[in-house]
């Protein structure tokens, strides 16, 4: 980038950040986790929002698998209504597994089911019939695998059609499909046999996803770079929405600022900002909507 463009981009960043901060000037911002919006009425929302199933990844450490995981967790891989609502692949398949509490009004029958041939997310697969089915655990091969994961061409075709036809997303490029395929292939129930069925959900997960998505964006170009940047900003938003306390207005503003730095193509500054936030996030965790007691006070049991 030449100097003039850099100066312009910095000026724009300042403008955007100032505007974003102005929007945050009301310290009692009433944020709420988007994922609370698709949990079954009567389910134990506090437990659902504070725990997660083990991810059962057979090859942790492979950067391509991690990149696939980031995209799998990003609503912006999908288009239209899903992206607007904040729904990602992982909303239904939490950590690549199932989600027994998933309930999206109009799309779900029993909790944990979804009608994947419904016109809500995209018209292409609308069969005009309300026929929700159980969301499968993608790490388990127990009888419901719809696609052979070892057949690369079939898997790519399945994923591409799913994103474009089922969820009205933009046609994903080969890098995006390669990462998603690697992630799906690495899911294996045998990899987590010895782990407890649920572990705590904290801000550390989305923060490390945001950091890795910024790094993945740096290694990519074009639409893939944009996809990782949007994913990173989504992960920061997820943290932001879990800290609604009036005392955490500054924390929320700093998260917005990090997000704007990513959007403005300032990865180093964004990474520094995210790193610097760790102590403040840890200090405020007890009053955040990651804390089971705070969640309990807000959502109660059932
Ligand atoms: C609204 C909830 C929902 C979302 C969002 C969703 N799925 Fe699914 N998924 C389902 C349901 C329900 C089925 C079972 C469909 C069937 O049996 O016909 C399924 C089936 C699958 C299968 C086939 C099962 C298998 O193990 O072979 C794969 C793979 C899959 N989903 C991956 C994804 C990916 C990748 C995304 C994001 C691009 C995604 N899903 C988004 C609900 C969802």
């Amino acid at each position: 980038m030449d100097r003039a463009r850099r100066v312009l981009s910095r000026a724009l960043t300042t403008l955007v950040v100032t505007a974003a901060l102005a929007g945050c000037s009301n310290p009692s911002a009433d944020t709420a986790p988007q994922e609370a919006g698709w949990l079954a009425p009567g389910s134990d929302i506090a437990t659902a929002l504070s725990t997660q199933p083990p991810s059962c990844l057979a090859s942790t450490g492979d950067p391509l698998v991690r990149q696939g995981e980031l995209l799998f967790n990003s609503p912006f891989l999908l288009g239209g209504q899903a992206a607007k609502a904040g729904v990602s692949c992982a909303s239904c398949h939490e950590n690549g597994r199932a989600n027994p509490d998933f309930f999206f009004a109009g799309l779900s029958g029993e909790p944990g089911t979804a009608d994947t041939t419904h016109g809500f997310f995209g018209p292409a697969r609308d069969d005009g019939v309300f026929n929700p089915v159980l969301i499968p655990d993608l790490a388990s091969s127990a009888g419901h695998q719809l696609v052979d994961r070892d057949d690369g061409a079939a898997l790519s075709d399945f994923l591409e059609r799913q994103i474009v036809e089922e969820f009205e997303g933009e046609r994903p490029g080969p890098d995006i499909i390669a990462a998603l395929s690697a992630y799906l292939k690495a899911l294996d129930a045998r990899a987590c046999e010895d782990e407890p069925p649920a572990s705590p959900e904290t801000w550390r997960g989305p923060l490390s996803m945001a950091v890795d998505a910024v790094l993945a964006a740096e290694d990519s170009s074009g639409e893939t770079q944009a996809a990782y940047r949007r994913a990173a900003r989504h992960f920061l938003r997820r943290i932001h929405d879990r800290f609604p306390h009036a005392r955490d207005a500054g924390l929320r503003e700093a998260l917005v600022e990090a997000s704007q730095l990513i959007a403005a193509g300032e990865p180093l500054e964004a990474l520094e900002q995210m790193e610097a936030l760790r102590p403040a996030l840890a200090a405020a965790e007890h009053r955040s909507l990651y804390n089971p007691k705070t969640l309990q006070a807000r959502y109660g049991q059932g």
Side-chain angles (χ1 to χ4, degrees):
M1 197 188 311
D2 62 34
R3 207 181 118 67
R5 276 183 60 204
R6 185 166 274 278
V7 170
L8 183 68
S9 118
R10 277 204 189 271
L12 279 174
T13 315
T14 316
L15 208 82
V16 171
V17 171
T18 317
L21 296 189
C24 277
S25 62
N26 175 2
S28 55
D30 187 27
T31 60
Q34 286 180 307
E35 53 271 35
W38 50 79
L39 291 173
S43 65
D44 181 352
I45 294 180
T47 303
L49 292 181
S50 59
T51 58
Q52 56 183 333
S55 42
C56 303
L57 281 174
S59 51
T60 42
D62 178 347
L64 199 58
V65 170
R66 177 61 167 169
Q67 288 171 9
E69 185 178 21
L70 302 173
L71 297 168
F72 192 85
N73 278 276
S74 169
F76 300 109
L77 183 67
L78 314 179
Q81 294 302 329
K84 267 189 212 148
V87 169
S88 66
C89 307
S91 304
C92 288
H93 306 284
E94 192 178 8
N95 276 344
R97 315 297 301 283
N99 181 354
D101 298 312
F102 183 86
F103 184 86
F104 205 105
L107 270 190
S108 301
E110 294 293 312
T113 66
D115 181 356
T116 54
T117 48
H118 192 285
F120 176 74
F121 286 132
R125 289 214 184 155
D126 186 2
D127 62 1
V129 185
F130 182 55
N131 43 7
V133 293
L134 207 58
I135 300 167
D137 174 355
L138 303 182
S140 143
S141 52
H144 56 246
Q145 283 212 354
L146 299 179
V147 53
D148 179 359
R149 311 242 174 113
D150 293 325
D151 181 342
L155 184 56
S156 300
D157 185 56
F158 175 89
L159 289 169
E160 189 176 315
R161 291 167 62 112
Q162 194 183 30
I163 292 168
V164 175
E165 294 175 6
E166 193 170 324
F167 295 109
E168 257 189 317
E170 278 174 37
R171 188 165 298 283
D175 292 349
I176 288 181
I177 292 293
L180 268 181
S181 300
Y183 173 67
L184 285 178
K185 285 166 87 161
L187 289 169
D188 185 344
R190 286 167 300 183
C192 60
E193 265 165 4
D194 301 330
E195 289 182 34
S199 60
E201 196 170 326
T202 74
W203 51 269
R204 289 175 183 82
L207 189 66
S208 101
M209 286 205 287
V211 168
D212 288 349
V214 169
L215 296 174
E218 284 314 289
D219 285 340
S220 331
S221 58
E223 56 140 22
T224 315
Q225 179 170 60
Y228 286 122
R229 282 193 182 151
R230 273 184 255 149
R233 299 184 67 201
H234 168 72
F235 302 140
L236 291 180
R237 183 203 165 142
R238 272 172 51 183
I239 302 173
H240 173 281
D241 290 354
R242 294 269 190 144
F243 285 85
H245 199 285
R247 283 175 62 188
D248 295 323
L251 195 53
R252 291 195 297 275
E253 286 170 9
L255 285 160
V256 170
E257 202 177 316
S259 176
Q260 299 296 355
L261 286 168
I262 296 168
E266 304 277 6
L268 287 179
E269 289 82 347
L271 290 171
E272 270 172 25
Q273 171 96 344
M274 288 191 260
E275 227 21 70
L277 275 173
R278 283 180 186 274
L281 288 165
E285 184 169 347
H286 65 282
R287 57 177 177 258
S288 77
L289 294 174
Y290 286 109
N291 180 287
K293 283 200 186 116
T294 318
L295 281 166
Q296 199 70 38
R298 178 155 177 159
Y299 293 105
Q301 167 101 37

